[in-house]
Structure formats: C-alpha cells, structure tokens
Amino acid sequence: KNEVEQSPQNLTAQEGEFITINCSYSVGISALHWLQQHPGGGIVSLFMLSSGKKKHGRLIATINIQEKHSSLHITASHPRDSAVYICAPPSGNTPLVFGKGTRLSVIA
Amino acid sequence: EPEVTQTPSHQVTQMGQEVILRCVPISNHLYFYWYRQILGQKVEFLVSFYNNEISEKSEIFDDQFSVERPDGSNFTLKIRSTKLEDSAMYFCASRQWEAKQFFGPGTRLTVL
C-alpha cells in the first residue's frame, strides 16, 4: 500500500505569492497525479507526470521518481486558486490513492 | 471540451432502498472508475472497469455494490440496499491509455 504524505496540510497565502506543495510517497511508481478539489467538491486532474517537469499556465509540477517526491508550484497565486490540492499515486491497476491533500487559501 | 457527466446531482433515499448512480464517461475513454468521498474525509477508490469487466475493486466495494456499462455509453453504480454510511459524494472518472483521469461533477447521495 502506498503511503502518501503531503506538506503543508494547510496553507494561507497572500495574492501574488509563489506557493509550493510537497508530496512524498512510500512505494515506487511510474506516474503520479496532481488534482485540485474545488470548495464546491468538483475534482480536476491537473497533471499526470512520470518524470521531470510539466507546466500549465501558472502551475508547475515536478517529480523525482528515484527520491519518491513531487512538488506542485503555483506562481502569482490568486484567490481563485483556493482549493484542496491532492497528489495521488496510482495503485495496482492505476486507480488513484488519495491523501487528505493540502488546503490552500489565497487572500486578496 | 469533452467532459464526464453524472446524474443525478443529488439523490436522497431511504435506508434499505436500491439506488443507481449514472455516469457518461468521455466517449473514447477506455478505463472507468468510481470513487466516493464521505463528508470531511478523503476521496476513496471503489472500483475500476475495463473491457467490460471489473479490473480492480477496494474493500469498500462489497456485495452490495455493482457496476455496469449497459449500452456502451453509460457507466452505472448500483447500491442494492443502502445504509446510512453510504451517504457520500460519488465521483465517476474515465481515462484513455496512460493518461490522466477526468472526473465527473459527482452525485451527492443522502441516505435517511
């Protein structure tokens, strides 16, 4: 079973700040998802990455498979980025294993 | 952009009743999933479905649960005899080969 640890668990930032969320997992994997869960409950898959770095708009995700570590960065944060961010490795036949995530609040 | 849809958005039922939650995955996707999230808790995997059969299921997915893809477009989750603890948000997701999962908006199930 893959144990997932995210830090921080809660994060409050001022608008415009650069944000980093870290994810460590216990079992080697071939890929990892970053997801965003909005306050209303909807889940959006942000990235699936297996190596290096991916960028989409103001979001950047990096992964180091050997060190079993991934990070999600948000540049120029905005209040609409307020959400729970979840890293989720696949398990078995690639269903996602969700952690509790990081609750981000961005204040204007 | 194609999206996963789910109906109903909210279902209220009495304990012991059967419910069917419906999902329409993205049309060219191959893998289908159900997850659930009890209020205030993390999202939990229930079942994955590929090639018209269950490929993996969690301990939560007991004999009270079943899934079906009856017509090549819908993907359903049936709970035969609902319990109070089945109250949760249920999410459907789908994906192509080696790609990220796309989630539906969820169905909130309330068991009274």
Side-chain angles (χ1 to χ4, degrees), chain B residues 1-7 22-27 29 31-34 75 91-95 101-106:
Chain B
E1 184 176 86
E3 57 184 21
V4 177
T5 59
Q6 289 185 244
T7 55
R22 291 184 167 80
C23 167
V24 179
I26 295 172
S27 62
H29 283 191
Y31 295 84
F32 313 108
Y33 304 85
W34 283 101
F75 180 49
F91 293 101
C92 171
S94 69
R95 70 172 175 94
Q101 295 185 21
F102 288 80
F103 286 79

Side-chain angles (χ1 to χ4, degrees), chain A residues 36-101:
Chain A
Q36 178 193 55
Q37 186 166 28
H38 297 291
I43 298 172
V44 175
S45 187
L46 300 172
F47 297 102
M48 187 184 83
L49 66 165
S50 55
S51 65
K53 181 166 80 172
K54 283 192 176 181
K55 185 175 189 292
H56 186 258
R58 295 180 293 106
L59 300 176
I60 303 166
T62 62
I63 190 167
N64 185 318
I65 293 287
Q66 287 75 29
E67 294 187 5
K68 301 186 181 66
H69 182 268
S70 178
S71 294
L72 177 69
H73 307 284
I74 305 174
T75 61
S77 58
H78 190 275
R80 64 175 174 265
D81 297 326
S82 298
V84 176
Y85 291 84
I86 303 162
C87 74
S91 175
N93 195 21
T94 70
L96 300 180
V97 177
F98 286 75
K100 291 185 178 179

Side-chain angles (χ1 to χ4, degrees), chain B residues 3-12 18-25 33-34 68 70-71 73-79 88-93 103-110:
Chain B
E3 57 184 21
V4 177
T5 59
Q6 289 185 244
T7 55
S9 57
H10 190 191
Q11 173 92 49
V12 181
E18 175 184 284
V19 294
I20 297 176
L21 310 183
R22 291 184 167 80
C23 167
V24 179
Y33 304 85
W34 283 101
E68 210 175 32
D71 56 12
S73 62
N74 289 285
F75 180 49
T76 61
L77 175 70
K78 182 193 289 187
I79 309 174
M89 182 77 92
Y90 289 80
F91 293 101
C92 171
F103 286 79
T107 292
R108 181 169 299 284
L109 176 65
T110 302

Side-chain angles (χ1 to χ4, degrees), chain B residues 50-88:
Chain B
Y50 169 71
N51 201 25
N52 285 320
E53 61 182 24
I54 291 173
S55 50
E56 187 163 347
K57 59 184 181 180
S58 71
E59 293 174 352
I60 303 168
F61 194 88
D62 62 21
D63 291 344
Q64 292 300 310
F65 292 87
S66 63
V67 288
E68 210 175 32
R69 191 159 157 78
D71 56 12
S73 62
N74 289 285
F75 180 49
T76 61
L77 175 70
K78 182 193 289 187
I79 309 174
R80 289 190 182 81
S81 178
T82 49
K83 303 188 275 286
L84 294 176
E85 54 264 38
D86 293 327
S87 294

